[in-house]
Amino acid sequence: GLSGVPPGRGGRLTGHHAPRAVPATPAPHDPRRPVRVLYGLYVCGDHRDTADAQGALRSARRAADAVRRDFGIRPRELGPLLPAAA
């Protein structure tokens, strides 16, 4: 059932349309839009990847990698974004 509502006694679910909640992704959508616009100019956010928090994080990581490459800094080691909890 719904949040403690017994089966057969379900309430109504309501949906609200929020037209600006996430970036529009009309087809064909490129989920890997470039984050390096010019040398020294980088853009990241969910509008550069998938329209969700993970897309925003992926584009930020790609932007950081582009900055490193442009400034000759050794690439990061592949691994988790955050250290594992102890």
Side-chain angles (χ1 to χ4, degrees):
L2 303 170
S3 302
V5 177
R9 303 222 26 170
R12 291 184 182 172
L13 294 177
T14 303
H16 295 280
H17 180 67
R20 294 190 176 115
V22 295
T25 54
H29 175 68
D30 179 7
R32 298 292 179 173
R33 289 180 62 194
V35 293
R36 182 184 186 270
V37 180
L38 300 169
Y39 181 83
L41 180 61
Y42 309 89
V43 180
C44 63
D46 57 0
H47 64 289
R48 293 290 183 196
D49 204 286
T50 55
D52 58 13
Q54 290 299 315
L57 291 172
R58 277 190 301 268
S59 75
R61 182 173 254 186
R62 290 189 297 123
D65 289 343
V67 170
R68 287 183 180 107
R69 275 192 307 275
D70 283 354
F71 289 92
I73 300 170
R74 188 170 169 252
R76 64 178 163 78
E77 298 293 323
L78 293 178
L81 288 174
L82 298 173

